[in-house]
Amino acid sequence: MNTRPSNSEQQGKQHAMRRAALAATAVLASGGAMSLALGVGVAAAAPAPPPRLVSGNVANCAQAGLAGSVILEGVGDASNAAGSGDVSDDGLFLDVTINAGFTATGVAVKGGPNTNVYDGPFVGPTSIEGMRAPNNEGGQQPTISHWLVCGQPTVPTGAPRTGGGGSQGLNMLGAGALAVAAGGAVTLLVLRRRRALG
């Protein structure tokens, strides 16, 4: 009795293996693309956490009860290497973006007699949206008079501090390249298997 598979069965197996290889390559390549996107600093937006009320004016991180030093501040829109802040046209709300390579310990938003502090950490790249000053004594929301972000450069896990904080992006690019290379290896393995069967 002949147990050798027919040509049509062999072709069916080869077709199934080819589809599996293409699917695996697509998944791994998409993972590499995601890593590459993260490596160039795509910020994920998130609503602001509940604030902590601090009485009076806040002019520095110690007064806000935050660790680190001021890495970004403004009376309106502002930006620098650490990120950017955007105050709404009506002056009531603040959105802050923290760039890759920086970690914010918190954001202080002053308006009226008191200050709202939004505690982190917020690890860049990320955006915190919809922050505001606390209501005044009359229960009204005041416009933002000034704001500040406390924090420091991010030190990648297991890496020495270099001051630039840029090795995180390089690590992500490396991960993307490995994922794409792994997808290519799967394809080559299947093609070699096809030749052996044929």
Side-chain angles (χ1 to χ4, degrees):
M1 181 173 178
N2 186 9
T3 58
R4 186 173 180 178
S6 67
N7 283 342
S8 62
E9 288 174 330
Q10 284 182 349
Q11 288 174 351
K13 286 181 181 177
Q14 290 172 357
H15 183 68
M17 288 171 60
R18 196 177 314 124
R19 280 187 303 170
L22 290 173
T25 304
V27 168
L28 289 168
S30 66
M34 185 184 301
S35 295
L36 289 171
L38 289 171
V40 297
V42 176
R52 172 171 50 88
L53 179 66
V54 174
S55 297
N57 185 34
V58 166
N60 56 53
C61 297
Q63 291 175 347
L66 295 171
S69 58
V70 175
I71 58 173
L72 178 64
E73 63 183 327
V75 294
D77 296 349
S79 65
N80 63 21
S84 61
D86 179 37
V87 177
S88 61
D89 291 341
D90 58 10
L92 295 177
F93 295 97
L94 169 69
D95 297 341
V96 167
T97 297
I98 306 300
N99 289 341
F102 290 87
T103 296
T105 55
V107 181
V109 184
K110 169 73 167 59
N114 299 312
T115 304
N116 270 343
V117 176
Y118 295 86
D119 292 304
F122 307 115
V123 181
T126 190
S127 294
I128 312 99
E129 300 182 338
M131 292 176 286
R132 51 165 285 181
N135 287 349
N136 59 27
E137 291 92 340
Q140 303 298 313
Q141 181 181 349
T143 56
I144 295 169
S145 61
H146 69 273
W147 54 271
L148 58 89
V149 181
C150 297
Q152 64 275 320
T154 301
V155 180
T157 304
R161 180 185 293 270
T162 61
S167 60
Q168 183 179 13
L170 292 176
N171 289 340
M172 297 303 288
L173 288 171
L178 285 174
V180 174
V186 170
T187 304
L188 287 174
L189 183 63
V190 171
L191 290 175
R192 286 182 182 157
R193 177 76 175 150
R194 274 183 56 201
R195 286 185 188 143
L197 289 173

